[in-house]
Amino acid sequence: MDIKAGDVLQLRQKTGVGMMEAKKALTEAEGNIEKAIECLRKSGAAKAQKRAERTTAQGRVECYSHAGGKIGVLVEVQCETDFVALNDQFIEFCHDLALHVAASSPLYVNREDVPEEMIAKEKEIIREQIAAEGGNKPAEIVEKIVEGKIAKYLQDIVLMDQTFIKDEDVTIRALLESKILSIGENIRIARIARLQIGE
């Protein structure tokens, strides 16, 4: 199939991938840019998984202050080399993460970071709410409701599961995977901290 140079350029601008990778994705998607983006996301997730084993000993601590100094954010993002730590794309990613944390107030980076007792307590509260509503729902229905509400709760408090404030079609996890793919190194969000006056 003949892939147009303009389509390759457009896909590169949207995703930040190299020319050959963009052309390959467009060929696989039969010239459809949206399908090509989906192909890149899938391959990006696989490549990001492979790179996840690499050591991240370099990186950047991004600071951001918002609302006239009433909200402050620190984000530690790690990468493999100091060359990437000074890369404009990496710096922009760190800044975008700090903006996101300021706006979305995640409490944890990953689901594994959420204490088990916190999830257990939240499940207990949800079950009590369901019981208070009445209706004598079967146990398996109650458990499905609880699991659904817990998934939504985790999406609200876990950074990697949140929808990116600049693009609601992308989660922070997908954004990170796309940066790993376009930059070509393992990148890890190590820590976040958000302070707000009065909280």
Side-chain angles (χ1 to χ4, degrees):
M1 176 176 196
D2 189 31
I3 302 298
K4 296 175 188 162
D7 289 345
V8 172
L9 180 64
Q10 191 180 344
L11 183 60
R12 288 188 67 200
Q13 287 170 340
K14 283 187 171 188
T15 62
V17 299
M19 187 178 78
M20 294 309 292
E21 196 129 25
K23 194 169 182 181
K24 183 181 170 192
L26 279 165
T27 304
E28 195 177 319
E30 299 174 348
N32 184 309
I33 290 177
E34 294 309 311
K35 282 184 183 173
I37 291 171
E38 190 61 36
C39 290
L40 285 169
R41 281 193 179 155
K42 285 176 185 169
S43 71
K47 286 181 182 178
Q49 196 65 36
K50 284 181 189 171
R51 289 191 176 117
E53 302 303 314
R54 295 187 194 167
T55 304
T56 51
Q58 297 295 324
R60 178 180 182 84
V61 173
E62 184 70 25
C63 311
Y64 175 69
S65 180
H66 186 70
K70 297 206 183 312
I71 297 172
V73 171
L74 289 172
V75 177
E76 180 187 347
V77 185
Q78 298 173 344
C79 58
E80 294 175 47
T81 63
D82 57 353
F83 175 76
V84 164
L86 299 171
N87 173 297
D88 287 345
Q89 194 180 353
F90 180 78
I91 292 168
E92 183 186 355
F93 173 63
C94 295
H95 183 67
D96 281 347
L97 275 179
L99 287 175
H100 178 90
V101 170
S104 300
S105 309
L107 301 176
Y108 303 95
V109 175
N110 297 293
R111 283 189 178 204
E112 302 80 55
D113 303 331
V114 183
E116 282 296 323
E117 57 271 18
M118 191 172 171
I119 295 172
K121 182 71 179 162
E122 195 62 27
K123 283 182 176 180
E124 188 183 313
I125 291 167
I126 295 165
R127 285 192 187 97
E128 285 173 10
Q129 288 171 345
I130 294 167
E133 289 169 7
N136 290 333
K137 292 180 175 72
E140 62 271 10
I141 299 294
V142 170
E143 283 313 302
K144 281 188 180 175
I145 294 169
V146 169
E147 290 309 314
K149 291 196 173 199
I150 285 295
K152 176 70 179 88
Y153 172 70
L154 289 172
Q155 192 176 358
D156 289 341
I157 66 167
V158 174
L159 175 66
M160 295 295 268
D161 292 349
Q162 289 183 337
T163 303
F164 182 38
I165 56 163
K166 287 188 171 181
D167 184 351
E168 295 195 349
D169 292 332
V170 176
T171 62
I172 295 296
R173 179 173 279 102
L175 178 67
L176 175 64
E177 287 168 356
S178 75
K179 293 302 171 191
I180 291 170
L181 180 66
S182 60
I183 291 172
E185 272 196 15
N186 187 22
I187 298 169
R188 190 172 84 85
I189 303 167
R191 290 182 289 177
I192 58 171
R194 183 184 186 277
L195 303 173
Q196 183 166 346
I197 295 292
E199 275 191 4

